[in-house]
Amino acid sequence: MKVLEASPHGVIYRVDEDTLRKAAELLCAGELVAFPTETVYGLGGDAFNAAALAKIFDVKKRPRFDPLIVHIAETGSLDRLGDLSLLEKANREKAALLTGRFWPGPLTLILPRRPEVPALLSSGLPTVALRFPSHPAAQKLITYSTGAVAAPSANSFGRLSPTRPEHVEADLGGSIAMILDGGPCRVGVESTVLDLTGELPRILRPGGLPREEIEALIGKTAQAPREGEAGARLSPGMLKSHYAPRTTLILHTGKEMAELPFRQNEAYLFFDRPSMESWLAETFSAQNPPADNDGDREGIFYLSENGDTVEAAGRLFEILHHVDGLGKTCIHAEEAPPGGLGAAINDRLIRAAA
Ligand code: TXA
Ligand code: MG
């Protein structure tokens, strides 16, 4: 194998066979590698190596009560980590339906954990989170290494998830050996986390796979507990403040957003282009000149051209990372409609605002 040439971009390496093999070697040696998935970039370590898992928690400054997701590259690997025989029969059937339809893809399943899986991975819970990502580079990296790669999103705890290698480098570049560059993430929000260990399947985190699609396949899902309610601590990703930009974020309904005045030092994130255009027309019309309108509109954005929640989710973290670099005093964000990926977008915006 060729020795890696020094990257012109620090620790970022374009995905190819050589860099994938090198990354896999690092994982097998207990090191950490950041890699692309279709949702967000992950910070990977060997799921069966407790020392590597400890490094993940340390590098992210993640509290050890917040368990990690294991990434596999074939559905059959599920049985190395999870024990389906401990599920109720109905949920066992639902697990088969879900993996058959939605794997590989942005769906994480919570299942009973096998005793061989280090307890640290699951923060001592009797369960394990499993996901089979669809990104080809992720699949190869997992296959070339140990077949089971633990990976949280590759960001410091509580901060915005990375959807580009540069986001990872800016946040964690100093503490990891390698960031694999697979370009921008297609889905742009994290996977949907579905717990199959209770009586009724329960969505612990809305994400890249909409609830509607899950329910169309397996029937009704239970509501996740809110913070403070019993069970909420079971998925610490449900912590109220999370996915947060450094800039203060204020969440608005569409109506509130339409009525905001323009201030040069504030940023505006509309859900779709039409709502942005009508606000611009209103705010900058000759009859209604705003106090502060000398035309600098660098802080005005929309998530989707035409109200498509899939497109909007794909741009959400990307735009938040960008806005965060503009030095504005606050970000006004408009809530998304509740259906489809709107649930995941609003979940992230609510936590970013908390
Ligand atoms: O799309 C994704 O899921 C990305 C990419 C990299 O795959 N990963 C990701 O990981 O978002 P992370 O660690 O940022 O979020 C994992 C979520 C957390 O909310 C965690 O609390 C929850 O999954 N989780 C993990 N294991 C769990 C378990 N055994 N029971 C309940 N929740 C669990
Ligand atoms: Mg995360």
Side-chain angles (χ1 to χ4, degrees), residues 68 70 81-82 109-114 117 121-122 126-130:
L68 307 175
V70 181
L81 300 122
L109 295 179
I110 307 294
L111 299 169
R113 171 167 62 91
R114 282 205 180 275
V117 178
L121 181 116
S122 293
T127 53
V128 63
L130 292 180

Side-chain angles (χ1 to χ4, degrees), residues 60 62 153 155 161 190 205 242-243:
K60 271 186 71 91
R62 180 179 180 123
S153 51
N155 53 279
S161 295
E190 301 85 345
R205 176 178 73 181
H242 216 90
Y243 311 107

Side-chain angles (χ1 to χ4, degrees), residues 197-246:
T197 63
E199 218 172 292
L200 207 55
R202 190 169 60 153
I203 293 180
L204 298 182
R205 176 178 73 181
L209 181 66
R211 169 191 292 264
E212 294 89 327
E213 286 192 40
I214 294 174
E215 294 194 334
L217 182 68
I218 61 164
K220 190 123 192 65
T221 57
Q223 280 293 337
R226 292 178 189 281
E227 191 172 21
E229 282 176 19
R233 281 287 146 158
L234 292 182
S235 187
M238 299 173 65
L239 287 175
K240 214 163 155 201
S241 172
H242 216 90
Y243 311 107
R246 286 166 207 281

